[in-house]
Short mmCIF file of all heavy atoms in Angstrom, two decimals:
data_model
loop_
_atom_site.label_atom_id
_atom_site.label_comp_id
_atom_site.label_asym_id
_atom_site.label_seq_id
_atom_site.Cartn_x
_atom_site.Cartn_y
_atom_site.Cartn_z
N GLY A 3 -2.53 34.26 15.81
CA GLY A 3 -3.91 34.61 15.51
C GLY A 3 -4.56 33.49 14.72
O GLY A 3 -3.91 32.53 14.31
N SER A 4 -5.87 33.62 14.46
CA SER A 4 -6.60 32.52 13.84
C SER A 4 -6.13 32.20 12.43
O SER A 4 -6.26 31.07 11.96
CB SER A 4 -8.10 32.82 13.82
OG SER A 4 -8.35 33.95 13.01
N SER A 5 -5.54 33.16 11.72
CA SER A 5 -5.06 32.86 10.37
C SER A 5 -3.55 32.93 10.25
O SER A 5 -3.01 32.84 9.17
CB SER A 5 -5.71 33.80 9.34
OG SER A 5 -5.32 35.13 9.61
N GLY A 6 -2.84 33.10 11.36
CA GLY A 6 -1.39 33.13 11.34
C GLY A 6 -0.81 31.74 11.13
O GLY A 6 -1.53 30.74 11.03
N SER A 7 0.52 31.64 11.06
CA SER A 7 1.17 30.37 10.75
C SER A 7 0.84 29.27 11.76
O SER A 7 0.86 28.10 11.44
CB SER A 7 2.68 30.55 10.65
OG SER A 7 3.19 31.00 11.90
N SER A 8 0.50 29.64 13.00
CA SER A 8 0.14 28.62 13.99
C SER A 8 -1.32 28.68 14.37
O SER A 8 -1.76 28.00 15.29
CB SER A 8 1.02 28.76 15.24
OG SER A 8 0.78 30.02 15.85
N GLY A 9 -2.10 29.49 13.69
CA GLY A 9 -3.54 29.59 13.97
C GLY A 9 -4.32 28.45 13.37
O GLY A 9 -3.77 27.56 12.72
N THR A 10 -5.66 28.45 13.55
CA THR A 10 -6.50 27.35 13.09
C THR A 10 -6.43 27.13 11.60
O THR A 10 -6.62 26.02 11.12
CB THR A 10 -7.97 27.55 13.52
OG1 THR A 10 -8.41 28.81 12.99
CG2 THR A 10 -8.12 27.52 15.02
N SER A 11 -6.15 28.16 10.81
CA SER A 11 -6.03 27.96 9.36
C SER A 11 -4.60 28.17 8.88
O SER A 11 -4.35 28.19 7.69
CB SER A 11 -6.99 28.90 8.61
OG SER A 11 -6.62 30.25 8.84
N GLY A 12 -3.65 28.29 9.78
CA GLY A 12 -2.25 28.44 9.41
C GLY A 12 -1.61 27.12 9.07
O GLY A 12 -2.24 26.05 9.11
N SER A 13 -0.32 27.14 8.74
CA SER A 13 0.38 25.93 8.28
C SER A 13 0.40 24.82 9.31
O SER A 13 0.50 23.65 8.96
CB SER A 13 1.81 26.27 7.86
OG SER A 13 2.52 26.80 8.96
N SER A 14 0.30 25.13 10.59
CA SER A 14 0.25 24.08 11.61
C SER A 14 -1.11 23.98 12.27
O SER A 14 -1.28 23.23 13.22
CB SER A 14 1.34 24.31 12.67
OG SER A 14 1.07 25.51 13.36
N GLY A 15 -2.09 24.70 11.79
CA GLY A 15 -3.43 24.67 12.36
C GLY A 15 -4.25 23.52 11.83
O GLY A 15 -3.80 22.71 11.02
N THR A 16 -5.52 23.43 12.26
CA THR A 16 -6.37 22.31 11.89
C THR A 16 -6.67 22.25 10.40
O THR A 16 -6.93 21.17 9.87
CB THR A 16 -7.70 22.36 12.66
OG1 THR A 16 -8.33 23.63 12.41
CG2 THR A 16 -7.47 22.17 14.15
N SER A 17 -6.65 23.35 9.69
CA SER A 17 -6.89 23.31 8.25
C SER A 17 -5.63 23.65 7.46
O SER A 17 -5.69 23.94 6.29
CB SER A 17 -8.03 24.25 7.86
OG SER A 17 -7.65 25.60 8.13
N GLY A 18 -4.48 23.61 8.11
CA GLY A 18 -3.22 23.91 7.44
C GLY A 18 -2.75 22.74 6.57
O GLY A 18 -3.43 21.73 6.43
N ILE A 19 -1.59 22.86 6.03
CA ILE A 19 -1.01 21.85 5.15
C ILE A 19 -0.47 20.71 6.00
O ILE A 19 0.27 20.94 6.97
CB ILE A 19 0.12 22.47 4.31
CG1 ILE A 19 -0.46 23.57 3.41
CG2 ILE A 19 0.83 21.41 3.48
CD1 ILE A 19 0.61 24.41 2.74
N ALA A 20 -0.81 19.48 5.63
CA ALA A 20 -0.28 18.31 6.35
C ALA A 20 1.21 18.19 6.08
O ALA A 20 1.67 18.40 4.96
CB ALA A 20 -1.00 17.05 5.90
N THR A 21 1.96 17.86 7.11
CA THR A 21 3.39 17.66 6.94
C THR A 21 3.76 16.26 7.39
O THR A 21 3.16 15.71 8.31
CB THR A 21 4.20 18.69 7.75
OG1 THR A 21 3.81 18.60 9.12
CG2 THR A 21 3.96 20.10 7.26
N ILE A 22 4.75 15.69 6.74
CA ILE A 22 5.22 14.36 7.11
C ILE A 22 6.18 14.51 8.28
O ILE A 22 7.15 15.27 8.20
CB ILE A 22 5.91 13.68 5.91
CG1 ILE A 22 4.90 13.44 4.80
CG2 ILE A 22 6.57 12.38 6.35
CD1 ILE A 22 5.50 12.91 3.52
N PHE A 77 -3.76 10.30 11.23
CA PHE A 77 -3.87 10.20 9.78
C PHE A 77 -2.55 9.68 9.23
O PHE A 77 -1.47 10.14 9.63
CB PHE A 77 -4.16 11.57 9.14
CG PHE A 77 -5.62 11.84 8.98
CD1 PHE A 77 -6.25 12.75 9.79
CD2 PHE A 77 -6.37 11.18 8.01
CE1 PHE A 77 -7.59 13.01 9.66
CE2 PHE A 77 -7.71 11.43 7.86
CZ PHE A 77 -8.33 12.36 8.68
N ASN A 134 -5.02 8.71 2.06
CA ASN A 134 -4.87 9.15 3.43
C ASN A 134 -5.92 8.42 4.25
O ASN A 134 -7.11 8.46 3.92
CB ASN A 134 -5.08 10.65 3.56
CG ASN A 134 -3.95 11.42 2.90
OD1 ASN A 134 -2.83 10.93 2.80
ND2 ASN A 134 -4.24 12.61 2.44
N LEU A 173 0.95 11.78 9.17
CA LEU A 173 0.70 13.18 8.86
C LEU A 173 0.36 13.92 10.14
O LEU A 173 -0.24 13.36 11.05
CB LEU A 173 -0.45 13.29 7.87
CG LEU A 173 -0.29 12.49 6.57
CD1 LEU A 173 -1.54 12.59 5.73
CD2 LEU A 173 0.92 12.98 5.78
N SER A 174 0.72 15.19 10.19
CA SER A 174 0.36 15.99 11.36
C SER A 174 -0.42 17.20 10.92
O SER A 174 -0.50 17.52 9.79
CB SER A 174 1.61 16.44 12.11
OG SER A 174 2.36 17.34 11.35
#
Side-chain angles (χ1 to χ4, degrees):
S4 64
S5 63
S7 61
S8 63
T10 57
S11 64
S13 61
S14 64
T16 56
S17 65
I19 298 169
T21 56
I22 296 174
F77 268 107
N134 291 332
L173 305 175
S174 67

